[in-house]
Amino acid sequence: MATDSFPQRLPTLDRLGVTDPSNVSSSEVATEWLNAFSAAIARSNTAAVVDLFLEDGFWKDVIALTWDFRTFEGRKDIKKLLDARLAATDLNELRLLQEPLKEPVLQKVHHDLVWLRFCFSFTTKHGKGSAVVYLVPLPDSKWKAYTLLTCLESLTDFPQKLGPFRNKEADHGNWGEKRRQEAEFSSNDPTVLVIGAGHCGLEAAAQLKCIGIPTLVIDKKPRVGDSWRDRYKTLCLHGTIWFNQMPYMTFPPTWPVYIPAEKLADWLEAYARLLEIDVWTASTITSTSWNDSTKTWSVEVNRGGKGTRVLTVKHLVFATGSGGRPIVPDIPGKASFKGSTVHSSEFESAANHIGKKVVVVGCCNSAHDIAQDFCSHGADITMYQRSSTFVISVESMAAMSRAIYNDDFPTELADTYSTSLPWAVSRRLHQRMVPVVAETADKAILDGLAKVGFKTNLGIYGAGLMALYLERGGGYYIDTGASKSIINGDIKIKNGSAIESFTENGLLFADGTELQADIIVFATGYGDPRDFMREICGDEIASKVTQVWGLDEEGQSSGVWRYCGHDGLWFANANLSLARFHSLHLAMQIKAIEEGVLNRADIVI
């Protein structure tokens, strides 16, 4: 990411030169600001609009004004956005939202940080959306915007087929045959081909279907959900059930807070069936070609025992996971090792290795889960820690999201609030919060780990898990019990020295020590998410694709759910929470392109 333009981002009371504004009417402050904002927008007076922001304020947009994920920092860049896109998008009908959970509210974020949050709805030339504003007080009793989010939620002329827009025709005996023909694409080709029937692929397909885009999902595995079903048996989601909900269908209220992977796999299979998502399993792509004149892909699909089909589609969506091919370190002497090795992606269960000596290389989520599995089966288990790890308890992780992800808070609104702050601001807040959690709720765990030599950190920038996930896709452990086993000595730790080579009986380290092992599990992560796309589309196409995972200089996702550098090519990779939220934005972009509403060549900011 780029160096910060404004080194001090958080508008603390001291920085603003004010005291705690606890006696104001939140509704009156929000109304006054929104009235001024609306009047300036109506007059297309962009100078007056930016004057309502702090000098180092932000405007974050999710496809409402830019058809992209953008963050504009500082008055100069905000004015640049408005000069380029205000007239073209016709931002209009701004209305303050006063209903419960959306009403203006004064929030004391820290003892020295107070802001007033409110929401408003709006329309554009092509859709409807909602906005979230965070105002801060100034010494002259005026309030100015620190951040504003504008997020498109629907296309006016192409609404989702929900509620009043659902099919109203009775079906007397034709539904089964109709579904069979739809799923086979007997009389047409899909507009979109999604590669991967995991949660990201299914959520993207569900959103596309609901907005009227013919979509086919293919997966190489025999059953929908196998991408989760075939992982190690002890795998369980580390996020809560409220955080991991999926669009259109919520998990049953009887389900546990933390969902086992096998249970999620069965859910995904039911999800695809009940939402009538068209999926071809046991299918692989054997060739692709891109026609730049017609903006179409020709895709040859091998359907196993069902033969081969050549499809002409407008869009390919790669939903093949946040990482690429499994990474296994190239360690000399492997041929001499008498035991077995496996990457964590292929590991199944410690029950298959009772009584063995085990080394797990790696110290993040999968490594800990697998080490704990071996520990529970009485194995002699050692984890090799190559570098320090950010560790947070599952209880602390849940507490961070509990305020908005719970049974009583609408998931859609929680997602909007969750994305409402620019990453530069969220990062600063995490930099404050993470050390506090480490010194309080998780202090006993972290101190215990330090005593046995396990090395921890506070994440990139000291901002904890979220920074590591968004920028690197890993580097952390959400503790579900393995830390206690490490502290107790049931899981031994080796670190501080590089692996030199395999030996007949294990691994030799640079410090001269050897770890004996019957099995070595490499929980060493995955490669670039573009790996699978390169294999399917070729080097020429891949060379045009930007970085996919990670953050761009504006703190937005580099190439997931948005234009990635090549027409008709998309990536849908994320955890369940981000996939739930952004799959709709992907679907709306594709719908807008197909209906002639969106032409990226026309958008210059």
Side-chain angles (χ1 to χ4, degrees):
M1 288 182 59
T3 303
D4 296 342
S5 300
F6 299 94
Q8 173 56 51
R9 295 189 183 277
L10 291 180
T12 60
L13 296 174
D14 181 63
R15 177 190 165 204
L16 296 172
V18 298
T19 57
D20 191 343
S22 56
N23 295 324
V24 300
S25 166
S26 298
S27 183
E28 289 179 7
V29 170
T31 298
E32 180 180 352
W33 188 92
L34 186 58
N35 286 343
F37 181 78
S38 300
I41 292 289
R43 299 193 309 270
S44 297
N45 188 341
T46 58
V49 173
V50 300
D51 189 53
L52 294 169
F53 285 77
L54 287 183
E55 184 66 35
D56 58 347
F58 296 85
W59 187 317
K60 181 178 180 180
D61 185 64
V62 179
I63 74 169
L65 276 70
T66 62
W67 286 113
D68 201 355
F69 299 175
R70 298 291 305 273
T71 297
F72 299 88
E73 175 188 8
R75 290 178 178 172
K76 180 180 177 181
D77 281 356
I78 292 173
K79 189 174 189 304
K80 188 177 178 181
L81 160 68
L82 295 172
D83 288 340
R85 298 298 298 162
L86 186 56
T89 54
D90 189 23
L91 184 63
N92 208 341
E93 298 182 44
L94 282 59
R95 183 179 68 86
L96 182 66
L97 300 180
Q98 294 277 19
E99 49 264 55
L101 302 179
K102 297 181 181 179
E103 74 275 15
V105 58
L106 192 68
Q107 296 182 316
K108 190 165 186 176
V109 186
H110 292 285
H111 71 279
D112 63 343
L113 180 62
V114 179
W115 55 41
L116 192 155
R117 185 192 71 196
F118 72 92
C119 304
F120 67 86
S121 60
F122 63 86
T123 64
T124 67
K125 184 177 180 181
H126 298 295
K128 299 177 181 179
S130 64
V132 183
V133 187
Y134 294 85
L135 302 180
V136 294
L138 296 179
D140 59 2
S141 299
K142 296 291 185 182
W143 291 71
K144 294 202 173 184
Y146 179 46
T147 78
L148 164 65
L149 166 77
T150 44
C151 182
L152 194 68
E153 296 177 332
S154 64
L155 299 175
T156 305
D157 294 335
F158 314 103
Q160 293 178 280
K161 297 175 182 178
L162 301 172
F165 300 105
R166 71 176 79 200
N167 185 1
K168 299 179 177 66
E169 297 179 3
D171 190 310
H172 299 288
N174 298 318
W175 175 81
E177 178 59 22
K178 181 181 177 182
R179 276 299 301 138
R180 189 193 68 78
Q181 292 190 23
E182 285 177 350
E184 290 296 314
F185 285 88
S186 301
S187 59
N188 67 304
D189 285 349
T191 301
V192 178
L193 181 63
V194 178
I195 303 161
H199 66 274
C200 287
L202 295 179
E203 288 176 290
Q207 302 275 21
L208 286 160
K209 181 183 182 74
C210 195
I211 209 169
I213 297 288
T215 301
L216 171 64
V217 183
I218 66 169
D219 198 288
K220 64 182 179 181
K221 291 181 176 288
R223 293 172 61 189
V224 171
D226 277 349
S227 58
W228 285 93
R229 192 176 288 110
D230 292 346
R231 295 294 307 277
Y232 53 90
K233 298 302 180 186
T234 59
L235 178 59
C236 187
L237 297 187
H238 292 160
T240 66
I241 192 169
W242 305 285
F243 189 72
N244 289 318
Q245 293 285 5
M246 295 179 66
Y248 308 124
M249 285 176 59
T250 58
F251 297 123
T254 57
W255 274 34
V257 172
Y258 300 100
I259 304 173
E262 190 174 5
K263 191 178 187 74
L264 179 63
D266 289 347
W267 169 267
L268 294 177
E269 196 167 40
Y271 185 86
R273 184 175 66 255
L274 295 174
L275 291 181
E276 300 181 3
I277 299 171
D278 301 320
V279 184
W280 292 355
T281 54
S283 299
T284 56
I285 294 177
T286 52
S287 69
T288 65
S289 62
W290 168 253
N291 187 322
D292 199 47
S293 298
T294 60
K295 301 295 182 182
T296 58
W297 296 92
S298 178
V299 184
E300 184 177 86
V301 180
N302 183 340
R303 300 192 64 190
K306 296 183 179 181
T308 298
R309 174 87 175 266
V310 177
L311 303 170
T312 300
V313 303
K314 295 286 193 68
H315 304 268
L316 290 181
V317 178
F318 281 85
T320 49
S322 297
R325 292 293 182 189
I327 294 175
V328 177
D330 185 13
I331 300 171
K334 184 177 180 181
S336 64
F337 179 52
K338 294 180 179 179
S340 60
T341 64
V342 63
H343 188 269
S344 59
S345 60
E346 301 294 326
F347 179 78
E348 294 181 359
S349 174
N352 301 329
H353 307 281
I354 299 294
K356 302 294 186 181
K357 287 187 176 181
V358 184
V359 173
V360 174
V361 178
C363 270
C364 297
N365 271 342
S366 295
H368 278 83
D369 286 351
I370 292 169
Q372 184 61 37
D373 187 20
F374 277 112
C375 181
S376 299
H377 282 84
D380 180 346
I381 169 70
T382 301
M383 290 178 69
Y384 171 59
Q385 185 182 32
R386 298 180 296 170
S387 59
S388 62
T389 309
F390 175 73
V391 177
I392 184 171
S393 67
V394 70
E395 294 84 5
S396 293
M397 193 67 192
M400 290 182 182
S401 63
R402 189 176 296 136
I404 56 174
Y405 289 101
N406 57 62
D407 279 327
D408 301 318
F409 206 99
T411 303
E412 295 80 3
L413 181 58
D415 287 342
T416 300
Y417 283 154
S418 183
T419 200
S420 62
L421 293 172
W423 170 237
V425 178
S426 293
R427 190 181 77 212
R428 297 285 181 179
L429 294 176
H430 281 276
Q431 285 173 317
R432 286 187 165 206
M433 177 174 56
V434 167
V436 172
V437 172
E439 288 297 321
T440 55
D442 288 348
K443 180 174 174 56
I445 292 172
L446 297 176
D447 286 352
L449 290 173
K451 287 179 180 178
V452 297
F454 187 93
K455 298 177 181 178
T456 63
N457 61 54
L458 295 180
I460 311 171
Y461 319 114
L465 184 148
M466 192 54 65
L468 286 163
Y469 176 69
L470 293 176
E471 298 204 23
R472 296 183 183 174
Y476 53 84
Y477 172 51
I478 302 173
D479 180 27
T480 56
S483 290
K484 182 179 179 181
S485 297
I486 294 171
I487 294 168
N488 292 344
D490 297 325
I491 297 175
K492 297 186 287 292
I493 296 297
K494 168 69 178 177
N495 55 27
S497 183
I499 298 174
E500 286 266 308
S501 66
F502 283 97
T503 66
E504 284 189 3
N505 300 312
L507 291 171
L508 177 67
F509 293 84
D511 61 6
T513 61
E514 180 181 0
L515 278 180
Q516 295 193 350
D518 299 302
I519 177 172
I520 300 172
V521 181
F522 288 96
T524 44
Y526 298 84
D528 194 302
R530 291 172 289 188
D531 290 349
F532 298 108
M533 178 273 300
R534 184 180 297 274
E535 292 173 9
I536 290 172
C537 298
D539 291 338
E540 182 179 353
I541 298 294
S543 68
K544 300 177 182 179
V545 175
T546 61
Q547 176 184 343
V548 173
W549 196 255
L551 299 177
D552 65 16
E553 61 183 9
E554 295 178 357
Q556 298 279 15
S557 168
S558 292
V560 185
W561 313 109
R562 62 189 290 204
Y563 180 67
C564 69
H566 191 285
D567 292 339
L569 187 60
W570 308 83
F571 291 87
N573 308 325
N575 59 25
L576 279 95
S577 177
L578 289 175
R580 174 185 62 242
F581 186 55
H582 287 311
S583 54
L584 174 60
H585 306 134
L586 171 64
M588 286 195 289
Q589 289 174 83
I590 290 176
K591 182 67 173 179
I593 290 170
E594 289 308 300
E595 297 295 343
V597 170
L598 170 58
N599 181 356
R600 294 201 185 277
D602 296 337
I603 302 175
V604 179
I605 302 174

